[in-house]
Amino acid sequence: MSVVLSGIQCTYRIGDRPAVSIESLELTAGPVGLVGVNGAGKSTLLRTLAGARRPQAGSVTLGGEELYHRHRRTVVQQIGYMPQEIQFPAELRVTQVLAYVCWLRGIPSRTAKARTAGAIEAVGLTDRAGQLTGQLSGGMRRRLALAAALVSEPRLLLLDEPTTGLDPEQRAGVRAIISNLDQECLTVMSSHVMEDVASVTARIVVLHEGSVIYHGDTPAFVEERGGPGRSAEHAFLSTIAGS
Amino acid sequence: MIGLRTEWLGPPRVRAALLAALVGAGLVPVLDRDMPWLGSWKVALDQGTFSITTLGPVAAGIACSVYVRIRRSEVPELLAQARRPWLGWLAPGIGVWGLASLAVVLICAFTTTVTWAIGAHAYPDLFWVVPPALAVLAAEVAIGALIGSQVQHHWATPWAAVIVFMVYILSSVGVLPGVFRTGGVTGTLAGQTFHAPTFAWQALAGVGLAGGAMALSRWELFRVSGPVSRGATGLALVGAVVAMFQLRGDSDERYVFAATVQYECREGEPTVCMLLETTRPLDDLSAKMRSLSDHLEAAGAQLPEQFRQRVPGEPDPHHGFLRMRGDAVLAATVDYLTAAESLAQPAGCSAYSSDDPRVLPEVWFTVDDVLVRWLLVQEGHETAPSDGALADWWALPRARQWPWVRATYDALRDCRLHALRLPTSAS
């Protein structure tokens, strides 16, 4: 799966500076980190890639098909999206949430059960499958949101701040899940925690004030811009400062 | 398969509580005012749909709350990747509407079953009036969903209920087209039926408004929905505009006279017949009329063979006609005054329903009053007046009153109303 953005302009209010303005960007299969300070436009870009926010200008193609085409049903079926603050009804059990998501995604009931079980296993929630979502910890809820994104077996997986608000152990758990994903899947993970991004992604996109100011290999990014300590955070900060 | 998605309505106990709340709200107008609907299955059905008056605003409030919750959950972000995003957005609203519809159906089943159980004739083929009412309910739920999805705060919930109730009020008084009027008939519906075209327009308007409100509640999803969804919603909206034009002002007559009427009778002297819809007080009425008629027969008056409940606007000079107000028609029992007034009208003369007031001589009113009172005095339910212009006549022995009673009754039976005379002590 490859994604090509061309001439993208996303503006929330007429006259405002665009939240996202990307002349050209191509992303190919594998894990990609999307980093930027708060308000850089990461969530807007992910929502645009998820088909949830039509840009004012430009085009987004997934595997050569236009995402915002009127007959986009086939294209969007290939996307899995984990929003930043998703809240499923607290009174639903984990399996019920995923059954609901399967219904939304149009997954036939005969395969939904297997898909649900697979997603639950992938995120390590097997022993919590019967638990009410309202009783899950913050980390568990993140895993559930990730399972909801995975249940459709997407070829483009979009994760908006999947490790935010988690303790170090939970972050490590989520990172491990992302690392184990199919490499044929294009996974775009946004974060402002450089350590998380650097540990699981092969490529990185730095977004600043809505524009791409860096796009390249993550190890090279850290190597070239990380200073004497090869710090991912230093690389990020120096990139932002130099833009 | 759409299915009833209830994920956003809470766990089973919450859904049960919501259903109970909806039924409770719907029963408020139904159980009000001495429940006259007990006297007619048709009125009971109409009253069942009237429950939407209060149930609809509650359902709108629930829908508002549900869509506030959905919008704040970020789950709508997932709808962009859904196979049928529009259906995914509609599903919670359909769930609320389904629950509210179940409450309406339960209330209609309750009112009609109770009415049938106490002896009213049932007209199950008239249940077709329920689906148009449910279409109106869908529009009310959609208004709640629209408010919730736009305001995105839980304080909007009571406002959604108030706004929907105000829409009903404005629709009922004619400020808005009569789309939101459901049930609430104040008559007996005896000899009447529901006016199908009005209900069809109402259903069309309800569906169209529901579709329009839901489309506005999440326009970006509606815009990318399938051509069938968009086409159907567009057509329904056009239909709603036409329907609202049809239902404007006074052109939304909901009830019409039935093509044929049927009677149920209690044989005897006289035989008393009431329209099949409203036979609740028939046994009591016929017993009381029979008791009173003994005095007329003693006076030598010739009673008609049959007294019938009147079909409005249709004179019937061959039968006596029952003079009953709406509440008496629907009540379990009648008072002796009603029985006496009915007995004092041995023919349904055309003069009684004439638009020309001169057709009915003025003396008729006094004669009628004296005859009714005479019957009640004979039965011991009234005392004879001891003063006034007719005091001397009232003081006469019963046998000397009979000639006037007989002559008067014969004139009334033959519709010779200009032959009526007041009694004198010389009579």
Side-chain angles (χ1 to χ4, degrees), chain A residues 159-170:
Chain A
L159 309 175
D160 195 356
E161 307 274 5
T163 57
T164 300
L166 304 184
D167 63 35
E169 191 182 352
Q170 290 169 332

Side-chain angles (χ1 to χ4, degrees), chain A residues 47-216:
Chain A
R47 292 185 71 225
T48 303
L49 291 173
R53 195 195 186 292
R54 179 187 285 267
Q56 274 75 20
S59 71
V60 182
T61 58
L62 272 64
E65 288 189 69
E66 176 58 48
L67 176 59
Y68 286 96
H69 189 269
R70 186 176 288 276
H71 305 292
R72 61 179 199 167
R73 200 167 287 179
T74 319
V75 184
V76 295
Q77 289 285 295
Q78 301 175 48
I79 303 170
Y81 176 41
M82 175 186 167
Q84 197 171 340
E85 298 285 348
I86 194 158
Q87 291 175 337
F88 292 108
E91 60 276 7
L92 292 186
R93 300 184 189 284
V94 168
T95 49
Q96 290 173 317
V97 165
L98 294 178
Y100 174 58
V101 175
C102 282
W103 176 78
L104 284 178
R105 301 303 305 254
I107 296 168
S109 52
R110 61 182 177 279
T111 54
K113 206 166 182 178
R115 292 276 193 96
T116 297
I120 287 173
E121 191 183 350
V123 300
L125 281 178
T126 306
D127 56 340
R128 309 275 180 168
Q131 200 162 338
L132 298 175
T133 58
Q135 295 172 349
L136 296 176
S137 66
M140 298 287 181
R141 281 204 288 272
R142 282 298 164 106
R143 289 189 191 196
L144 174 59
L146 184 54
L150 291 171
V151 79
S152 61
E153 297 180 353
R155 295 177 65 204
L156 170 61
L157 180 63
L158 305 165
L159 309 175
D160 195 356
E161 307 274 5
T163 57
T164 300
L166 304 184
D167 63 35
E169 191 182 352
Q170 290 169 332
R171 280 169 50 201
V174 170
R175 287 201 307 256
I177 293 165
I178 296 167
S179 298
N180 289 332
L181 291 174
D182 181 3
Q183 293 298 303
E184 290 302 307
C185 171
L186 167 55
T187 303
V188 183
M189 168 189 162
S190 82
S191 180
H192 55 261
V193 182
M194 285 305 299
E195 184 190 345
D196 292 338
V197 174
S199 64
V200 295
T201 64
R203 280 161 295 134
I204 194 164
V205 173
V206 181
L207 210 57
H208 186 60
E209 294 183 350
S211 300
V212 175
I213 58 170
Y214 182 88
H215 178 208

Side-chain angles (χ1 to χ4, degrees), chain B residues 241-277:
Chain B
V241 172
V242 175
M244 284 192 283
F245 183 77
Q246 292 289 334
L247 295 171
R248 77 196 188 287
D250 298 326
S251 55
D252 58 340
E253 187 54 64
R254 298 172 60 79
Y255 314 102
V256 289
F257 290 112
T260 56
V261 294
Q262 289 179 287
Y263 289 93
E264 185 172 325
C265 301
R266 293 291 176 270
E267 299 294 332
E269 291 179 1
T271 294
V272 180
C273 301
M274 293 190 74
L275 288 162
L276 197 55
E277 291 95 331

Side-chain angles (χ1 to χ4, degrees), chain A residues 214-225:
Chain A
Y214 182 88
H215 178 208
D217 291 344
T218 306
F221 175 70
V222 175
E223 178 76 23
E224 292 164 10
R225 304 179 182 216

Side-chain angles (χ1 to χ4, degrees), chain B residues 61-92:
Chain B
I62 293 171
C64 176
S65 173
V66 164
Y67 277 86
V68 167
R69 202 170 159 216
I70 292 171
R71 279 302 296 263
R72 295 168 82 167
S73 72
E74 287 205 14
V75 169
E77 302 289 295
L78 301 187
L79 294 175
Q81 304 96 49
R83 184 156 175 265
R84 285 177 292 185
W86 182 234
L87 185 58
W89 178 251
L90 287 184

